[in-house]
Amino acid sequence: MVTGTGAGEGVSALLDSGEPSAVALIAPEDGQVLTYAQLASRIEALARLLAGAGVRRGDRVAVALPNGPECIELLLAVMWLGAAAAPLNSA
């Protein structure tokens, strides 16, 4: 699925641990379900966007999102790049 480098290898291992069609995440607010394949695809896309914006290994990224799937996806994408996420949500 997703191939991380360095620190991102843990995220890759997490995503590769489940069957692609198995449920990886369920949002308690609305019941949204993401499979491992869907989650990996979203994380990879976010990581590409972040890298395109200049985020590199060792950088710090502030994340200001409410708790939910989008926040989890962004945190994992930041970690996949080897950067450090700093969640700033109020919840």
Side-chain angles (χ1 to χ4, degrees):
M1 279 188 186
V2 176
T3 304
T5 57
E9 302 245 341
V11 175
S12 294
L14 172 72
L15 294 172
D16 289 340
S17 69
E19 289 294 319
S21 61
V23 174
L25 182 67
I26 300 173
E29 297 82 21
D30 61 6
Q32 177 187 7
V33 175
L34 289 175
T35 65
Y36 279 92
Q38 290 169 320
L39 185 59
S41 176
R42 290 179 181 212
I43 290 168
E44 188 173 355
L46 282 170
R48 279 195 306 269
L49 288 171
L50 290 167
V55 176
R56 301 286 181 259
R57 181 183 178 103
D59 287 347
R60 291 174 297 277
V61 178
V63 177
L65 288 172
N67 290 335
E70 296 83 6
C71 186
I72 293 170
E73 293 165 14
L74 186 54
L75 292 173
L76 290 172
V78 169
M79 291 187 301
W80 186 77
L81 291 173
L88 303 175
N89 61 338
S90 61

